[in-house]
Amino acid sequence: MTEITKTLRWGIIGCGNVTEVKSGPAYQKTAGFTIEAVMRRDPEKVADYAKRHGIKKYYTDADALINDPEIDAVYIATPPDTHKFYALKVAEAGKPCCIEKPLAPTYQECLTITEAFEAKNIPVFVAYYRRTLPKFEQVKKWIDSKTIGDVRHIRWHLSKPTSNQDRSGEYNWRTDIKIATGGYFDDLASHGLDLFIHYLGPIKEVSGISLNQQGLYTSKDACVANWIHESGVTGSGSWNFGTFEREDVVEIYGSEGKITFSVFENDPLVLKTATGESTHNIPHPENIQLHHVEQMRDQLLGNSKHPSNAFTAAHTSWVMDQIIGN
């Protein structure tokens, strides 16, 4: 196993909410990584972020961060409509990159990003961190070991009530059709669909219906879909963001059992087989991207391959495009 002999210095473009607890501290806690600089267009907010997180350099210009000789790698944590813009600059600079999910608003933009890094043989990771969380790794172990026999079907329903922000008409980029055609579907459903592809392999056919039922914003707010994995496993999903109560239930049906879990809730895993039913509580780390970041380091050291990259993320975006009609 390759040992850590030098520190990889990261820069973050877009130090918003996702970087406060979920991701930023994970880079600081990972041996061999450090955050050397951050960038945000608002000078007061970026200075405040750097001070609170103990980061010595900050910029309001992304080009200055990307081309800083003291920055070895870049994490793009902006809204998805700017991912391609910044990613191509990072690829041109020849630096490894991690990009927040979804990789880009459309599959075609994902391909452009993927090809740019592939042409220079530079690693690019995508923050579908659920692939690396112990809770979801346990589900994969059950599937791979055939604890529930051969998987036949996977079903997911995700719904939540309309938020006060949605009702108020206050601007939210997550519900702006120019940034996220599918609205919350883009932001949330991408996590689960990417996880299912990780579990069951690529999806070869998918169809969907999407619409805006509430008329509160420009993005879609309701989607349903059916699909089939190349492995022959069928799947179905429904996502609605204007219902009475929040619900998040995934059921994986096998020939000899069933697994039930939530993508976002802290509910325990439930395993049901002929021998009985058991529950399994596997907590997430404080900084939920910690394992994702640690496994990026492991790949960069040549010790293992990270499960989430531009190729896998682009396939997830292709599936989403088919569902929402991009």
Side-chain angles (χ1 to χ4, degrees):
M1 178 178 289
T2 303
E3 295 183 357
I4 299 167
T5 57
K6 63 171 286 188
T7 297
L8 195 72
R9 301 165 297 183
W10 284 83
I12 301 178
I13 297 176
C15 46
N17 287 340
V18 71
T19 68
E20 289 285 355
V21 177
K22 289 183 176 181
S23 63
Y27 286 81
Q28 293 171 307
K29 291 180 179 180
T30 296
F33 280 4
T34 184
I35 300 175
E36 190 73 15
V38 291
M39 174 270 166
R40 191 169 183 170
R41 287 175 296 181
D42 187 307
E44 292 184 4
K45 289 182 177 179
V46 73
D48 174 67
Y49 184 95
K51 181 180 179 180
R52 288 186 292 104
H53 290 275
I55 299 165
K56 67 180 183 180
K57 290 199 290 187
Y58 53 90
Y59 296 99
T60 55
D61 177 27
D63 287 339
L65 181 145
I66 292 167
N67 296 305
D68 184 336
E70 295 184 346
I71 296 299
D72 304 310
V74 179
Y75 166 36
I76 299 171
T78 60
D81 63 319
T82 57
H83 286 182
K84 186 183 80 168
F85 177 76
Y86 291 125
L88 296 183
K89 289 176 178 287
V90 177
E92 182 63 29
K95 298 180 179 183
C97 187
C98 179
I99 305 173
E100 264 303 326
K101 43 61 57 186
L103 177 55
T106 68
Y107 175 61
Q108 287 303 319
E109 289 189 26
C110 292
L111 288 182
T112 301
I113 294 170
T114 303
E115 290 165 359
F117 282 90
E118 185 181 27
K120 291 206 168 188
N121 196 28
I122 303 167
V124 56
F125 308 95
V126 182
Y128 282 116
Y129 53 82
R130 277 172 173 75
R131 289 187 176 219
T132 61
L133 286 171
K135 173 181 177 178
F136 300 112
E137 284 186 327
Q138 180 58 63
V139 174
K140 192 171 191 314
K141 289 175 184 175
W142 285 332
I143 292 171
D144 292 347
S145 64
K146 292 187 178 293
T147 301
I148 61 168
D150 295 321
V151 177
R152 304 299 192 199
H153 183 74
I154 185 167
R155 178 175 69 181
W156 183 24
H157 175 72
L158 174 68
S159 60
K160 72 181 188 70
T162 308
S163 70
N164 291 332
Q165 182 180 19
D166 293 337
R167 290 192 181 93
S168 73
E170 177 187 344
Y171 180 75
N172 179 358
W173 65 262
R174 290 177 174 82
T175 55
D176 183 344
I177 197 168
K178 292 179 290 185
I179 297 175
T181 305
Y184 294 116
F185 173 83
D186 287 1
D187 188 36
L188 301 176
S190 58
H191 270 297
L193 290 168
D194 184 80
L195 193 61
F196 305 160
I197 293 165
H198 180 53
Y199 288 160
L200 304 169
I203 290 172
K204 66 177 181 179
E205 294 179 33
V206 56
S207 61
I209 298 171
S210 63
L211 69 159
N212 184 311
Q213 291 181 328
Q214 302 175 86
L216 295 175
Y217 41 76
T218 56
S219 295
K220 307 291 182 70
D221 62 10
C223 305
V224 294
N226 293 291
W227 64 86
I228 182 168
H229 294 264
E230 290 180 1
S231 60
V233 177
T234 58
S236 61
S238 55
W239 305 267
N240 196 293
F241 303 102
T243 58
F244 168 69
E245 61 183 357
R246 184 177 178 89
E247 188 174 355
D248 175 11
V249 181
V250 178
E251 295 171 300
I252 302 177
Y253 298 86
S255 59
E256 298 175 23
K258 185 174 83 165
I259 302 167
T260 305
F261 64 93
S262 299
V263 175
F264 298 103
E265 304 300 326
N266 290 321
D267 299 336
L269 305 175
V270 179
L271 174 65
K272 185 176 183 180
T273 66
T275 59
E277 183 174 298
S278 59
T279 59
H280 305 258
N281 283 293
I282 304 174
H284 295 322
E286 177 187 6
N287 310 112
I288 203 163
Q289 292 198 22
L290 180 63
H291 298 291
H292 159 74
V293 176
E294 289 177 337
Q295 290 189 35
M296 287 198 299
R297 176 206 56 204
D298 293 344
Q299 176 170 325
L300 292 170
L301 288 173
N303 293 331
S304 61
K305 184 175 176 59
H306 197 284
S308 180
N309 54 52
F311 291 98
T312 62
H315 181 62
T316 298
S317 289
W318 174 79
V319 172
M320 293 170 62
D321 274 7
Q322 305 310 302
I323 293 172
I324 63 173
N326 269 353

